[in-house]
Amino acid sequence: MWSDVAALFREYMGTGLIVIWYILCLVYLWMNEKRKHLRILFLYMPVILLLLYFNPVFYRLVYAVVEREIYYRILWLLPMTVVIAYTCICIYGRMAGSGERRAKVFALCAAGVIMVSGSFVYSSPFFSRAENIYHVPDTVVDICDAINVPGREVMAAFPLELVQYVRQYSPVTCMPYGRETTVDRWNYYHPLRDEMEAEVIEMEKLVPLSREYHCHYVIFRPDTKVRGKPEDYGWVRFGEVDGYTIYRDMEVELIIPDLG
């Protein structure tokens, strides 16, 4: 169990640079910050939190209640961003008093160091720039709206890159597999997901799986290669959104309740 806790901390640190700057900022504040409320917030609380995180009794109790992947969220309570920003402002203020040029050079260097300490979030296929007020791709909004049936939930199999956005946007668009299948280290196996992500989708294999999970709709990405004709299996081409093709399985009953 200790190895799991240590591994989660290493994964949380990423490249490790941000954590190094955070520790250096803690040392600086420990030596220079005199205000009690800020010392409690920026110094004492994070130290206590880390002691709890690595405490064998504490993590055994937490592990007994939640899963391994939930435990690392305790580290979200570390005010890394706030502490680094506050420390940089304090140093900038002290430098500005003795020379504005030095302060500006420090500000540029600090910004550069912070930039190279992380990774570009949009390089991941599971993150995209906000396109609407829902902060999900427009494609997801349009697909969910297209297959929505007033008064009931529908089941739909989506390509993996859209899965996490669907659950953020629509409470009535259900999926046979979710975000747990997008994280490789979780090793979550789902036969329908694997067939949907195959280099060439075999309709002979996909159709029984989609019906086993009662999928009313199946969405193919624009570059999907399919062996077999969906229409030969009772599927109807429902529509197309941004290149994604929506198929409706007419053999999966879609009952609309009487709300009158």
Side-chain angles (χ1 to χ4, degrees):
M1 190 174 294
W2 166 258
S3 60
D4 282 349
V5 172
L8 286 174
F9 187 75
R10 286 195 299 270
E11 291 173 4
Y12 179 78
M13 289 194 302
T15 62
L17 289 176
I18 284 290
V19 177
I20 291 174
W21 308 138
Y22 177 61
I23 293 173
L24 292 175
C25 289
L26 288 179
V27 173
Y28 176 87
L29 293 179
W30 188 275
M31 298 173 60
N32 295 278
E33 183 56 59
K34 305 302 181 184
R35 286 172 288 185
K36 185 176 180 180
H37 66 286
L38 290 179
R39 291 184 69 87
I40 292 173
L41 182 63
F42 292 159
L43 295 172
Y44 305 147
M45 187 275 287
V47 170
I48 293 173
L49 188 67
L50 286 173
L51 289 175
L52 280 175
Y53 178 85
F54 289 107
N55 184 288
V57 176
F58 179 76
Y59 65 64
R60 287 180 186 276
L61 288 174
V62 175
Y63 264 49
V65 179
V66 301
E67 300 176 1
R68 171 185 182 273
E69 290 296 333
I70 302 298
Y71 189 71
Y72 82 96
R73 297 184 184 183
I74 295 173
L75 297 172
W76 291 356
L77 299 175
L78 292 175
M80 287 191 180
T81 305
V82 176
V83 168
I84 293 173
Y86 176 74
T87 304
C88 289
I89 290 172
C90 289
I91 297 174
Y92 176 86
R94 296 183 65 174
M95 286 186 169
S98 58
E100 187 176 345
R101 184 176 180 180
R102 288 177 57 196
K104 289 182 178 179
V105 171
F106 168 78
L108 289 173
C109 291
V113 165
I114 292 173
M115 289 175 63
V116 301
S117 298
S119 59
F120 188 56
V121 67
Y122 296 126
S123 62
S124 168
F126 301 114
F127 291 92
S128 65
R129 297 182 184 277
E131 298 175 355
N132 47 59
I133 61 174
Y134 308 106
H135 291 268
V136 300
D138 286 340
T139 299
V140 171
V141 174
D142 294 339
I143 291 176
C144 290
D145 288 349
I147 65 177
N148 176 56
V149 176
R152 69 149 297 139
E153 298 174 340
V154 297
M155 181 70 74
F158 282 81
L160 213 55
E161 69 271 15
L162 302 182
V163 166
Q164 70 175 31
Y165 300 114
V166 173
R167 72 189 190 117
Q168 294 176 46
Y169 172 68
S170 175
V172 294
T173 304
C174 303
M175 297 178 290
Y177 49 85
R179 179 178 174 272
E180 69 277 1
T181 62
T182 68
V183 182
D184 292 336
R185 67 175 181 273
W186 291 356
N187 296 320
Y188 187 89
Y189 171 73
H190 197 289
L192 179 55
R193 186 285 306 266
D194 288 355
E195 188 59 38
M196 284 286 292
E197 295 301 308
E199 186 174 342
V200 178
I201 294 178
E202 302 276 355
M203 289 299 300
E204 189 176 358
K205 297 179 181 178
L206 179 65
V207 173
L209 287 171
S210 68
R211 287 175 180 166
E212 179 182 346
Y213 291 97
H214 308 287
C215 292
H216 304 106
Y217 300 94
V218 175
I219 293 89
F220 289 155
R221 59 170 61 92
D223 59 350
T224 297
K225 296 179 181 179
V226 181
R227 184 172 289 124
K229 295 182 178 180
E231 292 79 6
D232 292 342
Y233 294 85
W235 287 19
V236 173
R237 193 175 186 277
F238 185 80
E240 183 176 314
V241 176
D242 295 337
Y244 287 85
T245 305
I246 306 171
Y247 281 97
R248 167 79 170 94
D249 188 342
M250 302 307 293
E251 293 193 16
V252 178
E253 188 175 8
L254 185 59
I255 301 175
I256 304 176
D258 183 6
L259 300 179

